[in-house]
Amino acid sequence: MKKADVKIGGEYFAKVTNKKVTVRIDAENPHGGWDATNLSTNKKVRIKTAGRLQGPSRSETPASETKRVLKKKPKTAETNAAGSEKKLSCVKAALRVLESADQPMNAKEMIEAMVEQNLWESPGGKTPHATLYSAILRDLKNGDESRFVKTERGRFTVRA
């Protein structure tokens, strides 16, 4: 906005502490700018430049009362470009790989098999095998309810 566009008594949208609020210009400040009232908190604020003002407030209600309502999208199964079902998580893909495997596997072997079978692909992490290993160890803490069984050091299979 320009300084000439600002009117005493007018209501404007302004950025105050990185929030867009409605302010009412009360008077011109002797040191430059304007004295105003934040209509959402009723606190006095100083608007130093017209650049802080983002235009006249078109509504009669304060900006804090006119919150935008965001509509949530209905939850549906996401599809990838091929039109197949939602992508599996790393742990669920590891379960599928272990179910089809005839022997226990370590985390690196599971990651390689998941990529090979096109079940899961790392989103760019440098050590997906370490992340999978950590997730399996967290799952093993569930005891008898765990989905994995540790057969030997670093090797896992699926619980029967």
Side-chain angles (χ1 to χ4, degrees):
M1 267 188 88
K2 295 180 182 172
K3 187 175 180 179
D5 297 336
V6 179
K7 306 287 184 228
I8 305 297
E11 292 183 4
Y12 300 92
F13 288 119
K15 263 211 153 169
V16 178
T17 61
N18 288 333
K19 293 178 188 154
K20 186 176 179 181
V21 297
T22 304
V23 296
R24 181 182 59 242
I25 304 296
D26 298 326
E28 199 164 327
N29 190 295
H31 301 289
W34 301 270
D35 293 322
T37 303
N38 181 340
L39 295 179
S40 60
T41 61
N42 286 329
K43 289 187 177 183
K44 300 290 181 185
V45 293
R46 179 169 171 218
I47 307 294
K48 291 184 180 181
T49 65
R52 286 263 189 224
L53 299 174
Q54 297 178 343
S57 169
R58 289 177 177 44
S59 65
E60 298 299 320
T61 58
S64 64
E65 293 177 16
T66 57
K67 293 181 181 175
R68 287 180 21 198
V69 177
L70 298 176
K71 293 183 181 179
K72 291 184 179 178
K73 294 180 183 176
K75 289 187 178 182
T76 57
E78 294 178 24
T79 58
N80 59 15
S84 65
E85 63 186 39
K86 186 175 178 180
K87 285 201 166 214
L88 294 174
S89 70
C90 183
V91 174
K92 288 182 181 177
L95 284 169
R96 282 213 188 154
V97 166
L98 288 174
E99 286 170 352
S100 64
D102 54 347
Q103 62 190 21
M105 300 173 83
N106 67 25
K108 276 193 176 183
E109 294 168 344
M110 284 186 259
I111 294 291
E112 290 169 3
M114 288 187 290
V115 170
E116 188 176 293
Q117 295 174 19
N118 203 20
L119 293 174
W120 180 85
E121 191 173 315
S122 175
K126 293 181 181 178
T127 55
H129 61 279
T131 305
L132 175 61
Y133 185 82
S134 174
I136 292 172
L137 290 182
R138 281 193 308 271
D139 190 78
L140 285 173
K141 288 183 180 178
N142 293 335
D144 291 338
E145 295 179 14
S146 172
R147 299 173 285 182
F148 296 93
V149 176
K150 189 171 188 176
T151 57
E152 57 185 275
R153 184 172 184 228
R155 296 206 163 268
F156 305 95
T157 189
V158 68
R159 186 173 296 276

